[in-house]
């Protein structure tokens, strides 16, 4: 058994885990965007009712959610890059194995 053949399932497991992580980050990002919109709506409603202090607090919470959204987006982009790299490496390994098999069969 060659080294490439034994590492292949672990590479596929890693790719699957990264995809699961990406999905959870997308879900988290969507949740935070909803919360951000809710805080903006609350701030507007408080301003209409002349409750500036509550409106300011809602704006501050919205800003916190925006920061969290940016953090999640940055992590998601990093993981997407890692996933592309791993998938590309797995394809190259597969091609190399196919070439090696072809060379062995032609002998």
């Amino acid at each position: 058994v060659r080294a490439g053949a034994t590492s292949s399932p672990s590479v596929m497991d890693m790719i699957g885990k990264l995809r699961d992580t990406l999905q959870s980050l997308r879900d988290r990002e969507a949740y935070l965007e909803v919360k951000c919109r809710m805080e903006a709506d609350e701030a507007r409603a408080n301003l209409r009712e002349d409750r500036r202090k509550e409106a300011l607090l809602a704006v501050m919470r919205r800003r916190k959610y925006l920061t969290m959204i940016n953090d999640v987006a940055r992590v998601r982009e990093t993981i997407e890059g890692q996933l592309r790299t791993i998938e590309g490496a797995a394809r190259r390994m597969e091609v190399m194995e196919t070439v090696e098999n072809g060379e062995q069969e032609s002998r």
Side-chain angles (χ1 to χ4, degrees), residues 1 7 15 19 41 64 89:
V1 177
S7 67
I15 289 172
R19 286 186 178 147
D41 293 343
K64 180 180 72 170

Side-chain angles (χ1 to χ4, degrees), residues 13-55:
D13 291 342
M14 189 180 344
I15 289 172
K17 287 178 184 177
L18 284 174
R19 286 186 178 147
D20 291 344
T21 302
L22 280 175
Q23 186 56 47
S24 355
L25 288 171
R26 286 185 192 110
D27 293 345
R28 176 77 177 152
E29 197 170 1
Y31 170 77
L32 290 171
E33 287 171 354
V34 168
K35 295 292 281 183
C36 190
R37 272 187 247 116
M38 288 173 51
E39 292 298 337
D41 293 343
E42 183 179 335
R44 281 188 213 100
N46 284 329
L47 280 176
R48 274 188 233 113
E49 296 172 12
D50 202 28
R51 293 187 291 180
R52 291 190 176 125
K53 188 173 184 177
E54 290 85 358

Side-chain angles (χ1 to χ4, degrees), residues 41-87:
D41 293 343
E42 183 179 335
R44 281 188 213 100
N46 284 329
L47 280 176
R48 274 188 233 113
E49 296 172 12
D50 202 28
R51 293 187 291 180
R52 291 190 176 125
K53 188 173 184 177
E54 290 85 358
L56 180 61
L57 290 173
V59 168
M60 290 171 62
R61 285 190 302 269
R62 180 180 181 270
R63 195 173 304 149
K64 180 180 72 170
Y65 287 130
L66 284 173
T67 301
M68 292 168 75
I69 289 170
N70 289 334
D71 292 343
V72 169
R74 200 171 316 116
V75 170
R76 185 179 44 79
E77 288 171 3
T78 300
I79 291 176
E80 285 172 347
Q82 291 172 348
L83 185 59
R84 282 191 299 272
T85 301
I86 291 170
E87 287 174 337

